[in-house]
Amino acid sequence: MTITDLTQDILSCGYTGHIRCEKKDEIIRAIVLHGNLRLLPMLLQIREGLSLYGLSDFMAKYPDVCKPLFVPGIEMKADADFILSICKADFSETGSNKRQVEQTIMNHLQDFLQELEQDPEMHHPVCPSLSPHAFLQWVTGQGHVPVLQAEKRHFKVNIKFNHDCQQEYGAHSICYPLVAACTSTITLPVQHMAAYDNFKVVLLEAFLQGQEFLRV
């Protein structure tokens, strides 16, 4: 394609001079000016709409948070708080012993994700890439926050609890979480994760060993 092929497009941008390569800088200035004059009213209208809900001030205060919502190709990685907010635990009956154990496990998960986020030195030496968004990637198949609100509303991590692995699998010293990324579900073997130190070891080893459900 030559500059002659672009004559009509250049003229439509308001350029009135000779269309030659030597006039490249003048042509570019005319195109940029045309683009600004055309887009500015639309951007101002969008800004007025955002101001009605106080969003323009929020964007000015937190540009890094808002940028991925408006710039294509930028993904917002999930942090510990986001993951915890979308966790949907399948709790046992309120007041039961199982429910108390399950709530303890959820507290362990919260501590674990926050520790991953705040203390990179905690990472397994053979698995330095483990982070909150890597955990989410493992469980759901994606490690970023959904951009569309409709997707975000339905984006959940389902937490299930297995209290009966000894009865189901016979005598064993350890077994690991079962991950089903197609349903965004992780099943935790609570008998092996009651103490926080054990919880960390089991979860880190599960991630390291390829996200399989194993027993020893």
Side-chain angles (χ1 to χ4, degrees):
M1 181 177 291
T2 65
I3 193 170
T4 305
D5 299 324
L6 299 173
T7 298
Q8 190 59 43
D9 293 328
I10 294 172
L11 292 175
S12 67
C13 291
Y15 179 74
T16 57
H18 294 289
I19 300 177
R20 299 197 302 265
C21 290
E22 294 80 4
K23 300 289 186 178
K24 180 179 68 174
D25 291 340
E26 296 178 18
I27 293 172
I28 291 175
R29 280 197 296 271
I31 294 172
V32 171
L33 179 61
H34 172 76
N36 288 338
L37 292 175
R38 184 172 62 89
L39 291 176
L40 188 58
M42 290 188 284
L43 293 174
L44 290 174
Q45 189 174 10
I46 292 174
R47 184 172 183 176
E48 289 176 4
L50 293 172
S51 297
L52 292 176
Y53 299 95
L55 294 177
S56 59
D57 293 337
F58 183 86
M59 291 167 60
K61 189 174 182 180
Y62 304 104
D64 293 336
V65 173
C66 297
K67 185 177 180 180
L69 302 177
F70 295 91
V71 181
I74 295 181
E75 294 182 347
M76 187 185 300
K77 289 184 178 179
D79 59 12
D81 289 338
F82 173 75
I83 295 173
L84 292 168
S85 72
I86 62 172
C87 283
K88 182 181 179 182
D90 185 14
F91 285 122
S92 299
E93 183 180 353
T94 302
S96 65
N97 290 333
K98 286 185 177 181
R99 177 64 174 261
Q100 293 178 6
V101 173
E102 291 161 359
Q103 289 176 331
T104 298
I105 295 295
M106 290 303 296
N107 289 335
H108 290 344
L109 178 61
Q110 177 177 349
D111 293 340
F112 177 78
L113 292 173
Q114 291 177 343
E115 193 172 351
L116 278 181
E117 189 169 74
Q118 298 169 6
D119 184 11
E121 299 301 323
M122 189 203 80
H123 295 183
H124 196 289
V126 190
C127 187
S129 61
L130 184 55
S131 60
H133 72 267
F135 173 84
L136 186 65
Q137 176 79 38
W138 172 35
V139 177
T140 69
Q142 74 174 57
H144 63 275
V145 178
V147 175
L148 299 179
Q149 288 300 317
E151 292 181 359
K152 189 180 293 187
R153 281 196 299 270
H154 298 290
F155 190 53
K156 301 293 180 185
V157 173
N158 300 301
I159 311 289
K160 294 188 175 182
F161 308 94
N162 184 356
H163 295 267
D164 305 312
C165 64
Q166 295 288 351
Q167 290 82 355
E168 292 176 3
Y169 304 112
H172 59 279
S173 60
I174 187 172
C175 60
Y176 297 110
L178 173 64
V179 170
C182 55
T183 59
S184 301
T185 301
I186 181 170
T187 303
L188 303 173
V190 298
Q191 293 184 14
H192 303 281
M193 307 179 83
Y196 181 57
D197 287 342
N198 293 338
F199 181 95
K200 285 201 300 185
V201 169
V202 170
L203 209 54
L204 285 169
E205 288 185 358
F207 187 88
L208 183 62
Q209 294 185 28
Q211 301 83 59
E212 295 179 286
F213 185 83
L214 302 173
R215 54 193 174 92
V216 180

